[in-house]
């Protein structure tokens, strides 16, 4: 493949933001909808989400969680029960006020006003908590471990495909426990499931940790986050897990008779991962030729492009033979559509299919397989049997390269030598990245961070335990935090 | 099992409607939500829906359909593009008019009024059509075969759990084709997929056919329906498939360059099946002891209840041994919860688990399996190996009985000897059922049907081709229709 030809027009270096849009459109992942801030997830983008759902859903079920479905509409008076929670979400809720349309002066107009307006769920702690309050009577009913895959709406003013959209898809886990300890263990367990999914399955780079007090989920006692670093050095809060204490439990009345015969409030948790992770995946692994995908999430591992000259049948037969000889768990398609092989090939490069095979009469004669390794953008020819027998090694090589390449890029963007706000300013004037520096946990000088468009992303779980001066307050502390720009 | 003890308090005979509610609550399928007309689908009910999704989704994909996701919000002016469509749905749409909440006089109040109000999708022909219009340029891009699993909202005034709820879950297929013939073939193909799913997988009884002209989907040219008969002799429109002609295609501009080089409008179809089918399933197979489930949809085929006296460990081990020796595709749980075996057993009877095993020291000593066949409410003991080796036969027996029992009940409620409205009236004064009688396709005397709370459910695909007099108009016709009460 020529070094001069690229599958995309815009490179990362030229304009990262435009490049991101071109990766999305080039891979046919999604497009903006006519409705402000909403997107259409196209079949190839949705297939990636379905693969993610399968992996996570299996893990949730192994850990005892049961899927269920709760109403999307939440009467607005229910929000009055948890003051912090509503304060966090009131500014971004879609509100249903009417239940029919009428023609008025030749124009469709809302009619049938509701007595109590309904919010479209921005998250479901309150409505699920209300059901839990009915279901839980005794400590024998605990724990309750629920999960729901659904759409949620947060009225965002500045949107960006996948990363921040008005409507998005997610899973939200909600659990109730007998004791604080059990609820805290569940919070950490699900945080670790996310870390595993994001780093081991999606091969992304992340620093797991706790959110600062002032930046927790609205109504939570503790929020754990998986802070992903993207290729531009910015951070993405990729998934969060919350210990909610007894806040929601008291708000909606989740009470149970304990082992001591007395009434207690349950301790609850919630945790969520959304389609925003697809944006993170794109910004982690894509290159100037488009998308790259980890094998567990790739809708197809292999696409076979038939090169048709005279003997169409024997080429199709040979393609089928390759497909049928591969292991059952290898996802293969043969693209028989009416289009030039070159067009097809560049389409699949943009889509990040790990192995793109071009099969014609030459391959039949030589009993060989000619293919492009997407992650290396290299061509290779293998004997038929060699290709079939080595497919798992090839996929491992693909995943290892994906992971190493991204990890290397990210590790280079980690800075541990910043000792003051001035140094922080200098650093971010020149580049983006994750600065790991001392922070004493006080809210001193947060406004100065804001001026630099920086935030404290998390207090990492792994701490160096060396004392030093907080770069914001000057106080002595052994705690380190991650400072970065973010999406 | 004693003939006198029943798992439910209310029998079908005593009060069918209350019995239905008790089946739902007894099997922990769902419950009413605080929001008018909405329901909470509890884990066991949702597990049934997930099984249905898996079977249908696999079939859709085999037939080339791709899943995608489109926005839930539809700007209300988009509805102005298809007059019949909006006329059909305007009276039942939830409308979002505001995008935040504010505290006013100590009360949360909608604020941030939208310029164009948004409808929550009642169905997605227009919004998906609008995307198709962007994607389709040439005949080479056709057919486009899409499907979406999502929630929809129809503001129903009279609701009933599963059968008619304000918010429900469904799949909606949407396809675009080059020719009328191809679109009509797709419409029938998907109608037949529904017939297969409902009759062969769910073991329900249905008469497939076409909806009368006046009762088609709003905006369709033809609507095909699978009309299920329930135990009370009423009908349920269980799934529909629509040929939309070029109506929506013209409304949203789905144009393509044809093989003749000229611009044409695509022919489109849509088809859907929703969580209402769970209501139909319950009303088809449940008995006075609760739910019964076809094996392909049952969340569990087998539950094992350990009977614990002294030697707890060896009982658990024997339970595990049964579980581990069953084929991998048999879904088994061992219920180790703290509760009496009797309570557990009656719970699983109400939940319709096909085989309920009670395993104690006696079974270990005899190397046997003691179990209840839910569909027969009969007890049986088999040797360990016999049970393991016969599980597929046992499941077949279960499914055959489920199917035969329901088919027999339904066939008895089919009447083919009605020749006038008076006879129709007499018949429905005494019972409910499907009356198959002549109908010339005219709208004459439909008001008289309405007085009897009857509707024409469909014109069955299988016609007797014998001439006779239309029971509504007196005109000679060879066409037969199904007359019934419905949900």
């Amino acid at each position: 493949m020529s070094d001069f030809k690229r599958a995309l027009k815009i490179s990362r270096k030229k304009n990262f933001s435009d490049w991101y849009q071109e990766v999305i459109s080039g891979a046919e992942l999604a497009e903006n909808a006519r409705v402000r801030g909403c997107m259409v997830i196209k079949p190839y983008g949705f297939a990636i989400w379905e693969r993610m759902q399968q992996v996570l859903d299996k893990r949730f079920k192994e850990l005892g969680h049961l899927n269920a479905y709760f109403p999307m509409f939440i009467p607005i008076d229910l929000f009055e029960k948890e003051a912090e929670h509503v304060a966090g979400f009131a500014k971004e809720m879609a509100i249903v006020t009417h239940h029919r349309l009428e023609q008025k002066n030749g124009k469709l107009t809302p009619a049938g006003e509701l007595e109590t307006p309904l919010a479209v769920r921005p998250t479901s702690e309150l409505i699920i908590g209300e059901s839990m309050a009915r279901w839980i009577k005794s400590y024998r009913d605990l724990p309750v471990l629920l999960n729901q895959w659904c759409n949620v709406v947060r009225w965002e003013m500045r949107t960006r495909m996948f990363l921040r959209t008005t409507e998005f898809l997610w899973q939200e886990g909600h659990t109730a426990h007998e004791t604080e300890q059990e609820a805290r263990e569940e919070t950490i367990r699900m945080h670790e499931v996310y870390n595993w999914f994001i780093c081991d399955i999606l091969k992304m780079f992340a620093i797991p940790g706790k959110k600062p007090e002032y930046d927790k989920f609205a109504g939570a006692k503790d929020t754990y986050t998986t802070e992903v670093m993207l290729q531009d050095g910015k951070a993405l809060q990729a998934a969060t897990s919350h210990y909610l204490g007894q806040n929601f439990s008291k708000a909606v009345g989740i009470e149970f008779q304990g082992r001591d015969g007395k009434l207690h409030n349950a301790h609850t948790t919630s945790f969520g991962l959304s389609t925003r992770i697809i944006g993170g995946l794109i910004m982690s692994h894509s290159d100037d030729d488009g998308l790259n995908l980890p094998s567990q999430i790739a809708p197809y591992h292999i696409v076979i492009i038939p090169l048709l000259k005279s003997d169409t049948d024997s080429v199709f037969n040979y393609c089928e033979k390759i497909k049928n000889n591969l292991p059952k768990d290898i996802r293969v398609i043969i693209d028989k559509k009416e289009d030039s092989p070159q067009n097809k090939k560049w389409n699949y490069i943009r889509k990040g299919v790990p192995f793109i095979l071009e099969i014609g009469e030459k391959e039949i004669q030589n009993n060989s397989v000619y293919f492009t390794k997407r992650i290396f953008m290299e061509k290779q020819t293998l004997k038929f049997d060699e290709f079939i027998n080595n497919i798992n090694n090839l996929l491992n090589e693909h995943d290892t390269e994906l992971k190493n390449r991204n990890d290397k890029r990210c590790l280079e963007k980690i800075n541990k030598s910043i000792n003051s706000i001035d140094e922080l300013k200098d650093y971010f004037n020149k580049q983006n990245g994750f600065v790991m520096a001392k922070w004493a946990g006080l809210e001193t000088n947060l406004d100065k961070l804001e001026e630099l468009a920086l935030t404290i992303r998390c207090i990492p779980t792994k701490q160096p335990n060396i004392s030093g001066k907080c770069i914001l307050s000057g106080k002595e502390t052994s705690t380190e935090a991650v400072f970065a720009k973010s999406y």
Side-chain angles (χ1 to χ4, degrees), chain A residues 324-340:
Chain A
N324 295 335
N325 277 277
L326 283 161
K328 282 242 180 293
D329 57 346
I330 301 296
R331 297 184 284 278
V332 190
I333 46 161
I334 301 169
D335 183 348
K336 296 183 177 179
K337 282 197 302 285
E338 253 188 71
D339 198 358
S340 80

Side-chain angles (χ1 to χ4, degrees), chain A residues 140-343:
Chain A
R140 287 186 195 85
D141 301 323
L142 295 171
V144 170
L145 309 173
L146 298 175
N147 181 58
Q148 138 169 308
W149 293 94
C150 64
N151 56 345
V152 284
V153 170
R154 296 181 188 174
W155 205 269
E156 300 282 358
M157 282 305 146
R158 294 175 57 195
T159 61
R160 189 189 294 259
M161 279 221 265
F162 288 114
L163 295 178
R164 200 175 287 278
T165 53
T166 300
E167 181 189 6
F168 56 90
L169 303 179
W170 79 347
Q171 62 66 219
E172 48 179 324
H174 296 270
T175 70
H177 304 264
E178 195 180 342
T179 63
E180 170 167 352
Q181 193 193 328
E182 279 175 34
R184 286 192 174 279
E185 281 167 6
E186 168 78 5
T187 310
I188 301 282
R189 186 181 304 124
M190 301 321 288
H191 172 56
E192 285 171 354
V193 166
Y194 289 143
N195 296 338
W196 159 80
F197 180 69
I198 290 165
C199 300
D200 292 0
I201 303 296
L202 302 185
K203 317 288 183 198
M204 291 158 77
F205 179 91
I207 307 257
K210 227 175 180 175
K211 278 282 167 195
E213 274 299 304
Y214 60 84
D215 200 20
K216 295 177 308 187
F217 175 76
K221 289 262 190 191
D222 279 313
T223 288
Y224 293 86
T225 177
T226 311
E227 292 289 323
V228 164
M229 194 201 289
L230 305 168
Q231 283 190 57
D232 60 353
K234 286 193 190 171
L236 184 76
Q237 181 178 307
T240 47
S241 181
H242 318 290
Y243 169 58
L244 304 173
Q246 294 176 311
N247 292 350
F248 287 88
S249 175
K250 284 179 181 166
V252 297
I254 310 179
E255 290 181 331
F256 66 93
Q257 195 173 38
R259 290 170 205 266
D260 57 5
K262 291 179 194 159
L263 274 187
H264 298 269
N265 275 104
H267 293 257
T268 67
T269 84
S270 68
F271 46 93
L273 176 141
S274 79
T275 40
R276 98 177 308 208
I277 196 78
I278 299 174
L281 187 76
I282 298 167
M283 285 199 181
S284 292
H285 297 309
S286 304
D287 58 27
D288 293 344
D289 291 304
L291 195 62
N292 276 303
L293 291 169
S295 64
Q296 287 210 52
I297 296 302
Y300 309 111
H301 297 128
I302 293 172
V303 59
I304 307 177
I305 303 172
L307 306 176
L308 302 172
K309 283 179 185 162
S310 51
D311 196 354
T312 308
D313 275 358
S314 65
V315 171
F316 280 150
N317 287 343
Y318 192 71
C319 292
E320 294 286 350
K321 189 180 156 197
I322 297 171
K323 186 177 172 180
N324 295 335
N325 277 277
L326 283 161
K328 282 242 180 293
D329 57 346
I330 301 296
R331 297 184 284 278
V332 190
I333 46 161
I334 301 169
D335 183 348
K336 296 183 177 179
K337 282 197 302 285
E338 253 188 71
D339 198 358
S340 80
Q342 275 302 303
N343 272 350

